[in-house]
Amino acid sequence: MTKSRRDPLSYLQTELDSLKAQGLYRRLRVLEGEQKAETTVDHRKVVNLSSNNYLGLTTHPRLREAALDATRRLGVGSGSVRTIAGTMDIHMELERRLAAFKQVEAVVVFQSGFAANAGTVSAVLTKDDVVISDELNHASIIDGCRLSRATIKVFPHKDVAGARKVLESLPAAQRKLLITDGVFSMDGDLGALPELCALAEEFGCIMMVDDAHASGVFGKNGRGTVDHFGMHGRVDIQVGTLSKAIGALGGYVAGSKALIEFLYHRARPFLFSTSHPPAVAAACIAAIDVLEQEPQIIDRLWENTKFFKSGLQALGFNTGLSESPITPVIVGEGATAMKLSDRLFEEGVFAQGIAFPTVARDKARVRTIVMATHTRDELQFALDVFKNVGKELGIIGA
Ligand SMILES: Cc1ncc(COP(=O)(O)O)c(C=O)c1O
C-alpha cells in the first residue's frame, strides 16, 4: 500500500488561486474548427482578432494541397534530428527558397521561431560576450541570452541614445550583439532598425533582428523589416518565423554561409530536436510561392489594418504606438483587460487580454490582430462591439 504523501507541487495550486483572486486566471479558449477570420471558439461564433494568421494562409488551398501531397509522398515524420538522418531534400529545398527570398547567402530552419532565437543567441555568444537588448524583446531572445551566459545589458524600449550609452561603456575589443525585434509583438511598433544598424557599425557589434511578426507582413512580398527599411547587408542575423503569416510552423535564421554552417554545428535545437514533418516544409515552400505570386493578399492585410486601427482610434481607445496589424487596446489594470476581453467574447469578438508579466503591470491590454481575410462587415461588427463594451466598462466616454 502506498503511504499517503504530501503533494510536493502544492505551491502551484496556491499560485493559481492567487491568479484567480487577482482576476488574472486564464482558461484556454478552444477553436472548434479552422484558424480563420471568423471561427467558432468555445461553442461561440466569433470574429477572430487573436490570430497571427495574418494572411489567412493556414487554410490557403495551395498550402493545404502541398502538405497533403508531401504527406502522401514522404510520410508524416522526418524520424530524426537534422544532423543524423532527419535532413530530407524538402528541408534543403525550403532553406534554398528562403535564402533566395530573403536575399542572403544561406538560411537554416528551426522547429519554431522560439527555437531559432533561443538556439542562435545561445550558440553565437559565450559568457565572455555582451548582449545589448531592447527591454521589450521577445521571451525567446531573453532565454537565448540567459542560456548563452553572456552579460545582458537592457536598454529602454527603442531608446537609441540609451543603447549608445551602454556601448560607450564597453571596451572596444569586447564582442557585442545588438538585438531588437523587428515588430514588437505586444505593441505592434517597429524596432529602431536604421538607427541601431548605424550604432552596430560604429561600435563593431553583431546586429540581429527578430522579424517574427514582420515575416510575410513588412517589406516587398513580406520579406521583413530589413527590406522595409532598406537595410539589406547591414543585419548579420535575421530571424523569421514560419508560424505566423506563413501559416504553418517553424523559424529560420538568414545570414552568411559561415553563420548558417556554424549553427548546423552548434545550435542546440537543431542538433538535439527532430526536424519538421515533410508536410510542414512543403506548406512553407508553397507559402513562399503565394507571397511571390499573390502579393495582393498583403495589400488586403494593410487595407484592413488601416480601417480597423483608425476605427479604434476614432472611438477614443488608447492604441499606443502601433505601426503594424497588431493594435493593442491599452486599458491599464490587468483585471480590466481581462473583463474587456471576456465581454467582447460574449458579444462575438475574440481578442485576448494580456497582463503582467507579459506586459508592464499598468499597461494591461486587449491585443487585436487583423487578417487579410477579414471582411469589412466583420471588422465593422468588431468596432461596434468594442464601442458598446468600451462604454459599458467606462474605458471610452459615453
Ligand atoms: C517577437 C517574436 N519572436 C519569436 C516568436 C516565436 O515564434 P514561434 O511562434 O514561431 O515560435 C514570437 C511568437 O510568439 C514572437 O512574437
Side-chain angles (χ1 to χ4, degrees):
M1 212 172 78
T2 47
K3 265 202 280 178
S4 74
R5 168 176 179 266
R6 197 189 63 80
D7 177 6
L9 291 176
S10 60
Y11 65 98
L12 301 184
Q13 192 56 52
T14 311
E15 286 285 320
L16 290 170
D17 291 344
S18 152
L19 289 179
K20 280 182 189 160
Q22 297 170 67
L24 299 178
Y25 179 82
R26 298 310 286 166
R27 228 172 23 79
L28 294 181
R29 294 236 184 251
V30 180
L31 270 73
E32 287 144 16
E34 297 179 332
Q35 179 63 264
K36 281 184 135 170
E38 188 174 78
T39 185
T40 304
V41 179
D42 291 344
H43 314 303
R44 195 180 292 270
K45 200 168 128 203
V46 286
V47 172
N48 183 2
L49 295 175
S50 288
S51 173
N52 295 318
N53 179 25
Y54 291 100
L55 302 174
L57 297 193
T58 61
T59 53
H60 192 290
R62 290 173 75 176
L63 275 73
R64 211 193 282 265
E65 267 317 305
L68 288 169
D69 174 63
T71 301
R72 283 189 209 99
R73 286 188 299 111
L74 300 167
V76 298
S78 77
S80 173
V81 303
R82 289 284 302 273
T83 46
I84 299 182
T87 296
M88 304 171 88
D89 52 10
I90 201 161
H91 296 124
M92 298 311 290
E93 184 187 344
L94 174 59
E95 291 180 346
R96 278 193 301 274
R97 287 293 306 275
L98 281 169
F101 181 70
K102 295 289 285 184
Q103 300 169 11
V104 294
E105 281 180 10
V107 158
V108 53
V109 170
F110 286 82
Q111 299 85 350
S112 69
F114 196 108
N117 270 329
T120 300
V121 176
S122 59
V124 299
L125 297 182
T126 71
K127 65 178 177 33
D128 300 323
D129 303 327
V130 178
V131 53
I132 302 103
S133 176
D134 188 290
E135 69 176 329
L136 295 189
N137 278 344
H138 190 254
S140 52
I141 293 176
I142 297 169
D143 285 7
C145 294
R146 290 177 180 159
L147 283 168
S148 75
R149 293 183 293 146
T151 303
I152 303 166
K153 304 267 189 191
V154 172
F155 60 91
H157 182 47
K158 290 182 72 168
D159 181 351
V160 178
R164 167 179 285 280
K165 224 159 136 193
V166 173
L167 288 167
E168 283 170 348
S169 72
L170 297 170
Q174 176 77 57
R175 183 179 297 138
K176 313 175 259 295
L177 173 79
L178 183 55
I179 184 163
T180 183
D181 277 0
V183 176
F184 288 88
S185 56
M186 294 300 144
D187 290 84
D189 54 342
L190 296 182
L193 202 56
E195 296 84 354
L196 293 177
C197 283
L199 265 194
E201 283 155 11
E202 184 180 340
F203 288 89
C205 304
I206 306 160
M207 182 69 216
M208 176 164 170
V209 61
D210 167 17
D211 246 354
H213 284 277
S215 307
V217 175
F218 278 89
K220 185 163 185 294
N221 300 90
R223 284 180 170 78
T225 57
V226 169
D227 189 84
H228 172 78
F229 284 117
M231 295 288 114
H232 286 287
R234 298 179 64 185
V235 175
D236 304 291
I237 307 176
Q238 294 182 56
V239 168
T241 187
L242 304 165
S243 324
K244 301 184 194 295
I246 306 305
L249 175 70
Y252 60 89
V253 178
S256 68
K257 248 191 186 131
L259 169 70
I260 302 314
E261 277 191 15
F262 180 82
L263 293 174
Y264 279 180
H265 287 81
R266 285 288 180 272
R268 292 168 73 82
F270 185 86
L271 293 167
F272 296 111
S273 185
T274 296
S275 53
H276 281 151
V280 171
C284 293
I285 292 168
I288 301 169
D289 291 337
V290 170
L291 292 178
E292 289 177 339
Q293 294 162 20
E294 302 177 36
Q296 66 277 12
I297 300 182
I298 304 174
D299 297 340
R300 182 79 191 148
L301 171 68
W302 281 102
E303 285 159 20
N304 279 349
T305 296
K306 281 178 200 129
F307 176 78
F308 192 67
K309 199 187 295 290
S310 61
L312 284 174
Q313 287 163 351
L315 290 172
F317 287 105
N318 173 8
T319 59
L321 299 173
S322 167
E323 303 164 80
S324 71
I326 301 171
T327 306
V329 172
I330 301 170
V331 297
E333 291 278 305
T336 312
M338 297 310 167
K339 181 77 198 163
L340 174 60
S341 173
D342 287 344
R343 283 291 297 123
L344 290 169
F345 187 76
E346 284 162 10
E347 300 299 326
V349 173
F350 180 32
Q352 282 285 13
I354 315 255
F356 182 82
T358 309
V359 295
R361 273 186 207 281
D362 60 344
K363 295 229 169 94
R365 64 200 57 193
V366 161
R367 184 176 70 153
T368 69
I369 303 182
V370 298
M371 295 164 57
T373 44
H374 279 119
T375 64
R376 274 298 146 89
D377 283 352
E378 287 163 354
L379 293 179
Q380 188 57 56
F381 169 80
L383 286 172
D384 292 342
V385 170
F386 259 98
K387 178 172 155 191
N388 295 337
V389 174
K391 282 182 182 172
E392 172 193 311
L393 299 180
I395 297 165
I396 54 171

